[in-house]
Amino acid sequence: MSRKEGKLHKNERGRYELDEETEFTCGCGIELKICDTWVKTRIEHDGSDYYAVGLRGMKLEGMTAREPRRSQE
């Protein structure tokens, strides 16, 4: 099974998604492409918006992201 990849955008529920089927919320693993390198992290919420752990302050909107590799792959 291939992993979905694309640009993150905030949906009508205020959560970040790649498409209507792939939404990221608290605790979700995600890989973000930063300077041509994939960085593994997870999504959390600080009471006002979602952020990537270890990359707080980085704007998620429009970032290239993909689903993390599952352990069976």
Side-chain angles (χ1 to χ4, degrees):
M1 181 181 239
S2 65
R3 297 186 284 172
K4 291 186 181 179
E5 181 180 320
K7 299 283 186 186
L8 285 175
H9 66 275
K10 195 178 276 192
N11 63 26
E12 65 279 353
R13 292 178 302 282
R15 295 176 176 170
Y16 288 94
E17 65 181 11
L18 294 176
D19 56 35
E20 292 180 4
E21 298 172 357
T22 311
E23 182 179 85
F24 299 95
T25 188
C26 288
C28 289
I30 191 171
E31 294 181 12
L32 300 172
K33 195 168 193 177
I34 301 171
C35 298
D36 294 323
T37 301
W38 288 105
V39 177
K40 293 179 184 180
T41 184
R42 74 177 186 280
I43 300 298
E44 293 296 341
H45 198 280
D46 64 8
S48 61
D49 200 4
Y50 289 94
Y51 65 94
V53 173
L55 302 169
R56 201 159 190 170
M58 186 170 279
K59 185 178 175 186
L60 294 176
E61 185 74 30
M63 287 192 78
T64 300
R66 69 183 179 191
E67 296 175 301
R69 187 176 306 276
R70 293 197 172 99
S71 58
Q72 302 95 322
E73 291 183 39

